[in-house]
Amino acid sequence: AAGLITMVCDLTIGRPRYADFDAQARTIRAVAEDARTRLTDLIQGDIDAYQAVATAYKLAKDDASRPAAIVAATVIATDTPLAIAELAATLLPLCTPLATHGNRTAVGDVVAAAHLAVAAVHAALINVTANLPTLIDHPRHHEFVARQAAAQTDLTTHCARAVAAATARM
């Protein structure tokens, strides 16, 4: 999603036809590119977090450190996909102005970006949902639940606006 937003900005920036939107396209591009970089790092973090959970579960069942190791690893394995979902959700508000004012030949890519951002949020949050039962008594459980709900706020609305804006220009 972030890569597509960046690409559409690149197809818009510097074009005389979109001069009135150039400054905003540059800002959107910077935000999307930063998100793309951070999401790439978070993907590796998610891989590492899963490995830590797997390692914790491989500890002997009679090992006194096993329960704490599982919880500690699960906290990270919950926090990381939450960060992915939260960051992916920030991409959606970028889509409508880009669909409305960006390079007209690439508005279909903005629609794809909006749908991919929504899918990324949902995909990341399914891991959170899977991990929450392990953390039911953890002090951060309520924080995780609240962040999960917040990450889903207005996803459908933002996506629908971007799709409508793009469709109107096709």
Side-chain angles (χ1 to χ4, degrees):
L4 285 171
I5 292 168
T6 299
M7 180 192 77
V8 175
C9 287
D10 288 342
L11 294 170
T12 303
I13 294 168
R15 307 267 167 121
R17 183 175 187 179
Y18 306 107
D20 290 345
F21 184 65
D22 194 85
Q24 189 174 0
R26 289 177 189 279
T27 299
I28 291 170
R29 187 195 188 289
V31 171
E33 186 57 21
D34 178 63
R36 188 193 63 75
T37 301
R38 290 171 49 206
L39 284 164
T40 301
D41 293 341
L42 284 166
I43 290 167
Q44 185 58 53
D46 194 46
I47 293 166
D48 296 342
Y50 172 78
Q51 290 299 324
V53 170
T55 299
Y57 273 101
K58 288 178 186 175
L59 293 172
K61 292 189 191 240
D62 62 350
D63 185 331
S65 68
R66 185 176 190 262
I70 290 170
V71 169
T74 304
V75 166
I76 295 167
T78 304
D79 206 21
T80 304
L82 266 170
I84 290 170
E86 291 164 340
L87 192 50
T90 67
L91 296 170
L92 282 158
L94 306 176
C95 293
T96 299
L98 194 56
T100 304
H101 305 289
N103 190 314
R104 186 176 179 184
T105 62
V107 294
D109 294 305
V110 179
V111 170
H115 286 297
L116 287 169
V118 170
V121 171
H122 289 301
L125 292 181
I126 197 66
N127 290 324
V128 174
T129 299
N131 291 339
L132 284 174
T134 303
L135 302 174
I136 198 75
D137 295 323
H138 193 274
R140 292 187 66 197
H141 182 268
H142 293 296
E143 171 202 335
F144 290 147
V145 171
R147 287 174 60 196
Q148 184 180 37
Q152 297 176 75
T153 303
D154 296 329
L155 290 181
T156 306
T157 302
H158 282 298
C159 188
R161 284 183 189 148
V163 170
T167 303
R169 294 186 66 209
M170 290 182 175

